[in-house]
Amino acid sequence: MDGPYVALNTQQAHEDYVGIICTKANVHDIVLEAIENARFVCEEHYAMFRGPPVQLICPPHLIFPYVPGHLSHICFELLKKSLRAVVYPAIKVVVVEGKEDITIKISDEGGGISRSAIPLIWTYMYTTMEGQGVGEDFVESDFKAPMAGFGYGLPLSRLVSCPLLRRRGTWLMEGCSTQGTLVGTSASSRWMGSERMFTST
């Protein structure tokens, strides 16, 4: 994860940024963008007029220090998994700020994941969808963002979450639901600036 170091030494100073870390990242706006992007990919992939609804419950002005692109990618990948699994009821994204933590929870009722698959979902090249190869007649203008099938979405999300998110977890109820949770440090926390912010368990 050399991005922050490289940015500090190569990019011009920008208000509210330390390298690539935004000290006032707006969680609502970032998650909303991830929702819109994931629904768009779902609509394109399944030729849907309108993708499954996603309910966002988040204070509009909630901020915390994070890399906006990383948080957007993590939420985007989790949301794609949920959108593949459900049509109705709505997927729910809940963001809550406590005294020390900001927690993002993404949950669906798409049937969950079997217990035997749990050790595999964070490994590269594992997918529950048939692979999507690139055909010989492929041209750049034909490209559409993949819904799934390449086996790197969740592992890459875990990788970019390591430096700043303190915890992440997946709770499964096979035959019913899946819930993914991300925990970061609140901007108002007394732990801000301490090494605890940079640990992950």
Short mmCIF file of all heavy atoms in Angstrom, two decimals, residues 102-163:
data_model
loop_
_atom_site.label_atom_id
_atom_site.label_comp_id
_atom_site.label_asym_id
_atom_site.label_seq_id
_atom_site.Cartn_x
_atom_site.Cartn_y
_atom_site.Cartn_z
N ILE A 102 -17.21 4.52 13.15
CA ILE A 102 -18.22 4.65 12.11
C ILE A 102 -18.41 3.25 11.53
O ILE A 102 -17.43 2.60 11.14
CB ILE A 102 -17.80 5.63 11.01
CG1 ILE A 102 -17.88 7.07 11.53
CG2 ILE A 102 -18.67 5.47 9.77
CD1 ILE A 102 -17.50 8.11 10.51
N THR A 103 -19.64 2.77 11.52
CA THR A 103 -19.93 1.43 11.04
C THR A 103 -20.82 1.50 9.81
O THR A 103 -21.83 2.21 9.80
CB THR A 103 -20.62 0.59 12.13
OG1 THR A 103 -19.78 0.57 13.29
CG2 THR A 103 -20.87 -0.83 11.66
N ILE A 104 -20.43 0.75 8.77
CA ILE A 104 -21.23 0.64 7.55
C ILE A 104 -21.69 -0.80 7.44
O ILE A 104 -20.87 -1.72 7.42
CB ILE A 104 -20.40 1.02 6.31
CG1 ILE A 104 -19.86 2.45 6.44
CG2 ILE A 104 -21.25 0.90 5.04
CD1 ILE A 104 -18.88 2.83 5.34
N LYS A 105 -23.00 -1.01 7.38
CA LYS A 105 -23.55 -2.36 7.28
C LYS A 105 -24.35 -2.49 5.98
O LYS A 105 -25.24 -1.67 5.71
CB LYS A 105 -24.46 -2.67 8.47
CG LYS A 105 -25.05 -4.08 8.44
CD LYS A 105 -25.94 -4.35 9.65
CE LYS A 105 -27.26 -3.62 9.52
NZ LYS A 105 -28.23 -3.99 10.58
N ILE A 106 -24.04 -3.49 5.19
CA ILE A 106 -24.76 -3.77 3.95
C ILE A 106 -25.40 -5.14 4.10
O ILE A 106 -24.71 -6.14 4.33
CB ILE A 106 -23.81 -3.76 2.73
CG1 ILE A 106 -23.14 -2.39 2.59
CG2 ILE A 106 -24.56 -4.13 1.45
CD1 ILE A 106 -22.08 -2.33 1.51
N SER A 107 -26.71 -5.21 4.00
CA SER A 107 -27.40 -6.48 4.23
C SER A 107 -28.43 -6.74 3.14
O SER A 107 -29.00 -5.82 2.56
CB SER A 107 -28.09 -6.48 5.61
OG SER A 107 -28.99 -5.39 5.72
N ASP A 108 -28.64 -8.02 2.87
CA ASP A 108 -29.64 -8.43 1.88
C ASP A 108 -30.34 -9.69 2.38
O ASP A 108 -29.96 -10.26 3.40
CB ASP A 108 -29.00 -8.68 0.51
CG ASP A 108 -28.03 -9.85 0.52
OD1 ASP A 108 -28.45 -10.99 0.80
OD2 ASP A 108 -26.84 -9.64 0.23
N GLU A 109 -31.37 -10.10 1.68
CA GLU A 109 -32.06 -11.34 1.98
C GLU A 109 -32.05 -12.21 0.72
O GLU A 109 -33.08 -12.64 0.22
CB GLU A 109 -33.49 -11.06 2.45
CG GLU A 109 -33.53 -10.30 3.77
CD GLU A 109 -34.93 -10.02 4.25
OE1 GLU A 109 -35.89 -10.60 3.69
OE2 GLU A 109 -35.10 -9.22 5.19
N GLY A 110 -30.83 -12.43 0.22
CA GLY A 110 -30.67 -13.14 -1.05
C GLY A 110 -30.33 -14.61 -0.91
O GLY A 110 -29.84 -15.21 -1.87
N GLY A 111 -30.52 -15.19 0.26
CA GLY A 111 -30.29 -16.62 0.41
C GLY A 111 -29.03 -17.01 1.13
O GLY A 111 -28.83 -18.17 1.48
N GLY A 112 -28.14 -16.04 1.37
CA GLY A 112 -26.92 -16.34 2.12
C GLY A 112 -25.92 -17.16 1.33
O GLY A 112 -26.04 -17.35 0.12
N ILE A 113 -24.91 -17.67 2.04
CA ILE A 113 -23.83 -18.45 1.45
C ILE A 113 -23.64 -19.71 2.29
O ILE A 113 -23.76 -19.67 3.51
CB ILE A 113 -22.51 -17.64 1.43
CG1 ILE A 113 -22.69 -16.34 0.66
CG2 ILE A 113 -21.37 -18.46 0.82
CD1 ILE A 113 -21.51 -15.39 0.77
N SER A 114 -23.36 -20.82 1.65
CA SER A 114 -23.17 -22.06 2.38
C SER A 114 -21.92 -21.98 3.26
O SER A 114 -20.95 -21.29 2.94
CB SER A 114 -23.04 -23.25 1.42
OG SER A 114 -21.92 -23.09 0.57
N ARG A 115 -21.96 -22.69 4.38
CA ARG A 115 -20.85 -22.65 5.34
C ARG A 115 -19.54 -23.12 4.70
O ARG A 115 -18.46 -22.59 5.00
CB ARG A 115 -21.20 -23.51 6.56
CG ARG A 115 -20.14 -23.56 7.63
CD ARG A 115 -20.72 -24.05 8.96
NE ARG A 115 -21.50 -25.25 8.80
CZ ARG A 115 -21.00 -26.49 8.89
NH1 ARG A 115 -19.71 -26.64 9.11
NH2 ARG A 115 -21.77 -27.54 8.75
N SER A 116 -19.61 -24.08 3.81
CA SER A 116 -18.39 -24.61 3.19
C SER A 116 -17.72 -23.59 2.27
O SER A 116 -16.52 -23.69 1.99
CB SER A 116 -18.71 -25.87 2.38
OG SER A 116 -19.64 -25.58 1.34
N ALA A 117 -18.47 -22.59 1.81
CA ALA A 117 -17.91 -21.58 0.90
C ALA A 117 -17.29 -20.40 1.63
O ALA A 117 -16.57 -19.61 1.02
CB ALA A 117 -19.00 -21.08 -0.05
N ILE A 118 -17.54 -20.28 2.93
CA ILE A 118 -17.07 -19.11 3.68
C ILE A 118 -15.55 -18.93 3.60
O ILE A 118 -15.07 -17.82 3.36
CB ILE A 118 -17.54 -19.17 5.16
CG1 ILE A 118 -19.06 -19.06 5.21
CG2 ILE A 118 -16.90 -18.06 5.98
CD1 ILE A 118 -19.64 -19.24 6.59
N PRO A 119 -14.74 -20.00 3.76
CA PRO A 119 -13.28 -19.79 3.67
C PRO A 119 -12.81 -19.36 2.28
O PRO A 119 -11.70 -18.87 2.13
CB PRO A 119 -12.71 -21.17 4.03
CG PRO A 119 -13.81 -21.90 4.73
CD PRO A 119 -15.08 -21.39 4.11
N LEU A 120 -13.66 -19.56 1.27
CA LEU A 120 -13.25 -19.30 -0.11
C LEU A 120 -13.58 -17.90 -0.60
O LEU A 120 -12.95 -17.42 -1.55
CB LEU A 120 -13.91 -20.32 -1.04
CG LEU A 120 -13.62 -21.80 -0.77
CD1 LEU A 120 -14.47 -22.67 -1.67
CD2 LEU A 120 -12.14 -22.09 -0.96
N ILE A 121 -14.55 -17.24 0.01
CA ILE A 121 -15.05 -15.99 -0.58
C ILE A 121 -14.03 -14.87 -0.57
O ILE A 121 -14.15 -13.92 -1.35
CB ILE A 121 -16.36 -15.51 0.12
CG1 ILE A 121 -16.11 -15.21 1.60
CG2 ILE A 121 -17.46 -16.53 -0.06
CD1 ILE A 121 -17.32 -14.60 2.29
N TRP A 122 -13.01 -14.95 0.29
CA TRP A 122 -11.98 -13.91 0.34
C TRP A 122 -10.73 -14.30 -0.43
O TRP A 122 -9.71 -13.62 -0.34
CB TRP A 122 -11.62 -13.58 1.79
CG TRP A 122 -12.77 -13.07 2.59
CD1 TRP A 122 -13.47 -13.74 3.54
CD2 TRP A 122 -13.39 -11.78 2.49
NE1 TRP A 122 -14.48 -12.95 4.04
CE2 TRP A 122 -14.45 -11.74 3.41
CE3 TRP A 122 -13.13 -10.66 1.70
CZ2 TRP A 122 -15.26 -10.63 3.57
CZ3 TRP A 122 -13.95 -9.54 1.87
CH2 TRP A 122 -14.99 -9.53 2.79
N THR A 123 -10.76 -15.42 -1.16
CA THR A 123 -9.59 -15.87 -1.91
C THR A 123 -9.71 -15.45 -3.36
O THR A 123 -10.81 -15.42 -3.93
CB THR A 123 -9.44 -17.40 -1.83
OG1 THR A 123 -10.62 -18.02 -2.37
CG2 THR A 123 -9.25 -17.85 -0.39
N TYR A 124 -8.56 -15.15 -3.97
CA TYR A 124 -8.53 -14.76 -5.37
C TYR A 124 -8.92 -15.94 -6.25
O TYR A 124 -8.62 -17.10 -5.94
CB TYR A 124 -7.14 -14.25 -5.77
CG TYR A 124 -6.83 -12.88 -5.20
CD1 TYR A 124 -6.10 -12.75 -4.03
CD2 TYR A 124 -7.27 -11.72 -5.83
CE1 TYR A 124 -5.82 -11.50 -3.50
CE2 TYR A 124 -6.99 -10.47 -5.31
CZ TYR A 124 -6.27 -10.37 -4.15
OH TYR A 124 -6.00 -9.13 -3.63
N MET A 125 -9.58 -15.65 -7.36
CA MET A 125 -9.99 -16.59 -8.39
C MET A 125 -11.21 -17.41 -8.02
O MET A 125 -11.71 -18.18 -8.83
CB MET A 125 -8.85 -17.53 -8.80
CG MET A 125 -7.56 -16.82 -9.22
SD MET A 125 -7.84 -15.58 -10.53
CE MET A 125 -8.32 -16.63 -11.89
N TYR A 126 -11.73 -17.26 -6.78
CA TYR A 126 -12.95 -17.99 -6.42
C TYR A 126 -14.15 -17.16 -6.82
O TYR A 126 -14.23 -15.96 -6.54
CB TYR A 126 -13.00 -18.27 -4.92
CG TYR A 126 -14.33 -18.89 -4.51
CD1 TYR A 126 -14.60 -20.23 -4.75
CD2 TYR A 126 -15.33 -18.11 -3.91
CE1 TYR A 126 -15.82 -20.79 -4.39
CE2 TYR A 126 -16.54 -18.66 -3.55
CZ TYR A 126 -16.79 -20.01 -3.80
OH TYR A 126 -17.99 -20.56 -3.46
N THR A 127 -15.10 -17.78 -7.49
CA THR A 127 -16.33 -17.09 -7.87
C THR A 127 -17.48 -18.08 -7.90
O THR A 127 -17.28 -19.27 -8.13
CB THR A 127 -16.19 -16.41 -9.25
OG1 THR A 127 -17.43 -15.77 -9.60
CG2 THR A 127 -15.84 -17.44 -10.34
N THR A 128 -18.66 -17.59 -7.63
CA THR A 128 -19.86 -18.42 -7.71
C THR A 128 -20.53 -18.27 -9.07
O THR A 128 -21.59 -18.82 -9.31
CB THR A 128 -20.87 -18.03 -6.61
OG1 THR A 128 -21.17 -16.63 -6.74
CG2 THR A 128 -20.29 -18.29 -5.23
N MET A 129 -19.89 -17.52 -9.95
CA MET A 129 -20.44 -17.26 -11.28
C MET A 129 -19.48 -17.80 -12.33
O MET A 129 -18.26 -17.78 -12.14
CB MET A 129 -20.64 -15.75 -11.47
CG MET A 129 -21.39 -15.36 -12.72
SD MET A 129 -21.67 -13.56 -12.70
CE MET A 129 -22.71 -13.39 -14.14
N GLU A 130 -20.01 -18.29 -13.43
CA GLU A 130 -19.15 -18.78 -14.49
C GLU A 130 -18.25 -17.65 -14.98
O GLU A 130 -18.68 -16.51 -15.11
CB GLU A 130 -19.99 -19.33 -15.65
CG GLU A 130 -20.75 -20.60 -15.30
CD GLU A 130 -21.46 -21.16 -16.51
OE1 GLU A 130 -21.27 -20.61 -17.62
OE2 GLU A 130 -22.21 -22.12 -16.34
N GLY A 131 -17.00 -17.97 -15.28
CA GLY A 131 -16.02 -16.97 -15.69
C GLY A 131 -16.43 -16.25 -16.96
O GLY A 131 -17.11 -16.79 -17.83
N GLN A 132 -15.99 -14.99 -17.04
CA GLN A 132 -16.27 -14.18 -18.22
C GLN A 132 -14.97 -13.96 -18.97
O GLN A 132 -14.14 -13.16 -18.56
CB GLN A 132 -16.87 -12.82 -17.82
CG GLN A 132 -18.19 -12.94 -17.08
CD GLN A 132 -18.78 -11.58 -16.82
OE1 GLN A 132 -18.44 -10.60 -17.47
NE2 GLN A 132 -19.67 -11.51 -15.86
N GLY A 133 -14.77 -14.70 -20.04
CA GLY A 133 -13.57 -14.54 -20.85
C GLY A 133 -13.73 -13.37 -21.80
O GLY A 133 -14.82 -12.88 -22.06
N VAL A 134 -12.60 -12.93 -22.35
CA VAL A 134 -12.60 -11.87 -23.35
C VAL A 134 -12.47 -12.53 -24.71
O VAL A 134 -11.47 -13.20 -24.99
CB VAL A 134 -11.45 -10.88 -23.13
CG1 VAL A 134 -11.42 -9.83 -24.22
CG2 VAL A 134 -11.59 -10.22 -21.76
N GLY A 135 -13.47 -12.37 -25.56
CA GLY A 135 -13.48 -13.03 -26.84
C GLY A 135 -12.48 -12.46 -27.82
O GLY A 135 -11.96 -11.35 -27.65
N GLU A 136 -12.20 -13.23 -28.88
CA GLU A 136 -11.24 -12.80 -29.89
C GLU A 136 -11.70 -11.56 -30.64
O GLU A 136 -10.89 -10.78 -31.14
CB GLU A 136 -10.98 -13.93 -30.88
CG GLU A 136 -10.31 -15.15 -30.25
CD GLU A 136 -10.06 -16.23 -31.27
OE1 GLU A 136 -10.44 -16.03 -32.45
OE2 GLU A 136 -9.50 -17.29 -30.90
N ASP A 137 -13.02 -11.39 -30.73
CA ASP A 137 -13.55 -10.24 -31.47
C ASP A 137 -13.77 -9.03 -30.58
O ASP A 137 -14.43 -8.07 -30.96
CB ASP A 137 -14.87 -10.62 -32.15
CG ASP A 137 -15.92 -11.13 -31.15
OD1 ASP A 137 -15.53 -11.44 -30.00
OD2 ASP A 137 -17.10 -11.21 -31.54
N PHE A 138 -13.20 -9.07 -29.36
CA PHE A 138 -13.38 -7.97 -28.42
C PHE A 138 -12.72 -6.68 -28.93
O PHE A 138 -11.61 -6.69 -29.43
CB PHE A 138 -12.75 -8.34 -27.07
CG PHE A 138 -12.69 -7.19 -26.08
CD1 PHE A 138 -13.79 -6.83 -25.35
CD2 PHE A 138 -11.51 -6.48 -25.90
CE1 PHE A 138 -13.73 -5.80 -24.43
CE2 PHE A 138 -11.44 -5.43 -25.00
CZ PHE A 138 -12.56 -5.10 -24.27
N VAL A 139 -13.45 -5.58 -28.81
CA VAL A 139 -12.89 -4.26 -29.08
C VAL A 139 -13.17 -3.39 -27.87
O VAL A 139 -14.11 -3.61 -27.12
CB VAL A 139 -13.49 -3.61 -30.35
CG1 VAL A 139 -13.09 -4.38 -31.59
CG2 VAL A 139 -15.01 -3.50 -30.24
N GLU A 140 -12.32 -2.39 -27.66
CA GLU A 140 -12.39 -1.59 -26.44
C GLU A 140 -13.76 -0.95 -26.24
O GLU A 140 -14.25 -0.83 -25.12
CB GLU A 140 -11.31 -0.51 -26.47
CG GLU A 140 -11.17 0.25 -25.17
CD GLU A 140 -9.99 1.20 -25.20
OE1 GLU A 140 -9.18 1.14 -26.15
OE2 GLU A 140 -9.88 2.00 -24.26
N SER A 141 -14.41 -0.54 -27.33
CA SER A 141 -15.70 0.14 -27.21
C SER A 141 -16.80 -0.81 -26.74
O SER A 141 -17.87 -0.37 -26.34
CB SER A 141 -16.09 0.76 -28.55
OG SER A 141 -16.19 -0.23 -29.55
N ASP A 142 -16.55 -2.13 -26.78
CA ASP A 142 -17.56 -3.11 -26.36
C ASP A 142 -17.54 -3.36 -24.85
O ASP A 142 -18.41 -4.04 -24.32
CB ASP A 142 -17.32 -4.46 -27.06
CG ASP A 142 -17.57 -4.38 -28.55
OD1 ASP A 142 -18.35 -3.49 -28.96
OD2 ASP A 142 -16.99 -5.19 -29.29
N PHE A 143 -16.52 -2.82 -24.15
CA PHE A 143 -16.32 -3.19 -22.75
C PHE A 143 -17.45 -2.69 -21.86
O PHE A 143 -17.90 -1.56 -21.96
CB PHE A 143 -15.00 -2.63 -22.23
CG PHE A 143 -14.78 -2.94 -20.78
CD1 PHE A 143 -14.38 -4.21 -20.39
CD2 PHE A 143 -15.00 -1.99 -19.80
CE1 PHE A 143 -14.18 -4.52 -19.05
CE2 PHE A 143 -14.81 -2.28 -18.47
CZ PHE A 143 -14.40 -3.55 -18.10
N LYS A 144 -17.91 -3.59 -20.98
CA LYS A 144 -18.86 -3.24 -19.92
C LYS A 144 -18.29 -3.76 -18.61
O LYS A 144 -17.69 -4.84 -18.56
CB LYS A 144 -20.23 -3.88 -20.19
CG LYS A 144 -20.97 -3.31 -21.39
CD LYS A 144 -22.34 -3.95 -21.53
CE LYS A 144 -23.10 -3.37 -22.72
NZ LYS A 144 -24.43 -4.00 -22.87
N ALA A 145 -18.47 -2.99 -17.55
CA ALA A 145 -17.97 -3.41 -16.25
C ALA A 145 -18.60 -4.74 -15.87
O ALA A 145 -19.82 -4.91 -16.00
CB ALA A 145 -18.28 -2.35 -15.19
N PRO A 146 -17.81 -5.71 -15.42
CA PRO A 146 -18.35 -7.03 -15.09
C PRO A 146 -19.19 -7.00 -13.83
O PRO A 146 -18.86 -6.30 -12.88
CB PRO A 146 -17.10 -7.88 -14.90
CG PRO A 146 -16.05 -6.91 -14.46
CD PRO A 146 -16.36 -5.63 -15.20
N MET A 147 -20.26 -7.78 -13.83
CA MET A 147 -21.08 -7.93 -12.63
C MET A 147 -20.36 -8.84 -11.63
O MET A 147 -20.36 -8.58 -10.43
CB MET A 147 -22.44 -8.52 -13.01
CG MET A 147 -23.43 -8.58 -11.86
SD MET A 147 -23.91 -6.93 -11.31
CE MET A 147 -24.96 -7.31 -9.92
N ALA A 148 -19.76 -9.90 -12.14
CA ALA A 148 -19.03 -10.86 -11.31
C ALA A 148 -18.35 -11.85 -12.25
O ALA A 148 -18.51 -11.79 -13.46
CB ALA A 148 -19.99 -11.59 -10.37
N GLY A 149 -17.57 -12.76 -11.65
CA GLY A 149 -17.02 -13.84 -12.44
C GLY A 149 -15.51 -13.89 -12.55
O GLY A 149 -14.95 -14.87 -13.04
N PHE A 150 -14.81 -12.84 -12.09
CA PHE A 150 -13.36 -12.83 -12.22
C PHE A 150 -12.64 -13.22 -10.93
O PHE A 150 -11.44 -13.44 -10.92
CB PHE A 150 -12.88 -11.45 -12.68
CG PHE A 150 -13.23 -11.16 -14.11
CD1 PHE A 150 -14.36 -10.43 -14.43
CD2 PHE A 150 -12.43 -11.63 -15.14
CE1 PHE A 150 -14.69 -10.16 -15.74
CE2 PHE A 150 -12.75 -11.38 -16.46
CZ PHE A 150 -13.89 -10.65 -16.77
N GLY A 151 -13.34 -13.24 -9.82
CA GLY A 151 -12.76 -13.75 -8.58
C GLY A 151 -11.77 -12.84 -7.89
O GLY A 151 -10.88 -13.31 -7.19
N TYR A 152 -11.92 -11.51 -8.06
CA TYR A 152 -10.99 -10.61 -7.37
C TYR A 152 -11.70 -9.52 -6.58
O TYR A 152 -11.05 -8.77 -5.84
CB TYR A 152 -10.03 -9.94 -8.37
CG TYR A 152 -10.69 -9.00 -9.35
CD1 TYR A 152 -11.02 -7.71 -9.00
CD2 TYR A 152 -11.01 -9.43 -10.64
CE1 TYR A 152 -11.64 -6.85 -9.90
CE2 TYR A 152 -11.63 -8.58 -11.54
CZ TYR A 152 -11.94 -7.29 -11.17
OH TYR A 152 -12.56 -6.45 -12.05
N GLY A 153 -13.01 -9.39 -6.70
CA GLY A 153 -13.73 -8.27 -6.08
C GLY A 153 -13.59 -8.21 -4.57
O GLY A 153 -13.13 -7.20 -4.01
N LEU A 154 -13.97 -9.28 -3.87
CA LEU A 154 -13.90 -9.28 -2.41
C LEU A 154 -12.45 -9.32 -1.90
O LEU A 154 -12.12 -8.60 -0.95
CB LEU A 154 -14.71 -10.44 -1.84
CG LEU A 154 -16.23 -10.29 -1.94
CD1 LEU A 154 -16.93 -11.50 -1.32
CD2 LEU A 154 -16.72 -9.00 -1.29
N PRO A 155 -11.56 -10.15 -2.47
CA PRO A 155 -10.18 -10.12 -1.99
C PRO A 155 -9.51 -8.76 -2.14
O PRO A 155 -8.80 -8.30 -1.25
CB PRO A 155 -9.48 -11.18 -2.87
CG PRO A 155 -10.56 -12.08 -3.31
CD PRO A 155 -11.77 -11.22 -3.47
N LEU A 156 -9.76 -8.09 -3.27
CA LEU A 156 -9.17 -6.77 -3.47
C LEU A 156 -9.78 -5.76 -2.50
O LEU A 156 -9.09 -4.88 -1.98
CB LEU A 156 -9.38 -6.31 -4.91
CG LEU A 156 -8.70 -4.99 -5.31
CD1 LEU A 156 -7.19 -5.10 -5.10
CD2 LEU A 156 -9.01 -4.65 -6.76
N SER A 157 -11.07 -5.89 -2.23
CA SER A 157 -11.72 -5.01 -1.25
C SER A 157 -11.11 -5.18 0.13
O SER A 157 -10.88 -4.21 0.84
CB SER A 157 -13.23 -5.32 -1.19
OG SER A 157 -13.86 -5.05 -2.42
N ARG A 158 -10.83 -6.43 0.50
CA ARG A 158 -10.20 -6.67 1.80
C ARG A 158 -8.80 -6.07 1.83
O ARG A 158 -8.38 -5.50 2.84
CB ARG A 158 -10.13 -8.17 2.10
CG ARG A 158 -9.51 -8.47 3.46
CD ARG A 158 -9.60 -9.91 3.84
NE ARG A 158 -8.81 -10.77 3.00
CZ ARG A 158 -8.59 -12.06 3.25
NH1 ARG A 158 -9.14 -12.61 4.32
NH2 ARG A 158 -7.86 -12.79 2.43
N LEU A 159 -8.08 -6.17 0.72
CA LEU A 159 -6.72 -5.65 0.66
C LEU A 159 -6.69 -4.14 0.89
O LEU A 159 -5.91 -3.64 1.69
CB LEU A 159 -6.10 -5.99 -0.69
CG LEU A 159 -4.69 -5.43 -0.94
CD1 LEU A 159 -3.70 -6.08 0.02
CD2 LEU A 159 -4.27 -5.66 -2.39
N VAL A 160 -7.56 -3.39 0.19
CA VAL A 160 -7.52 -1.93 0.32
C VAL A 160 -8.14 -1.46 1.63
O VAL A 160 -7.96 -0.31 2.02
CB VAL A 160 -8.20 -1.23 -0.89
CG1 VAL A 160 -7.51 -1.58 -2.17
CG2 VAL A 160 -9.70 -1.56 -0.96
N SER A 161 -8.87 -2.34 2.31
CA SER A 161 -9.46 -1.94 3.60
C SER A 161 -8.47 -2.04 4.74
O SER A 161 -8.67 -1.45 5.80
CB SER A 161 -10.68 -2.81 3.92
OG SER A 161 -10.28 -4.11 4.34
N CYS A 162 -7.39 -2.78 4.55
CA CYS A 162 -6.48 -3.09 5.67
C CYS A 162 -5.88 -1.86 6.37
O CYS A 162 -5.82 -1.82 7.59
CB CYS A 162 -5.37 -4.02 5.20
SG CYS A 162 -5.94 -5.71 4.88
N PRO A 163 -5.37 -0.85 5.64
CA PRO A 163 -4.66 0.23 6.35
C PRO A 163 -5.52 1.07 7.28
O PRO A 163 -5.05 1.51 8.32
CB PRO A 163 -4.10 1.08 5.20
CG PRO A 163 -4.11 0.19 4.02
CD PRO A 163 -5.28 -0.69 4.20
#
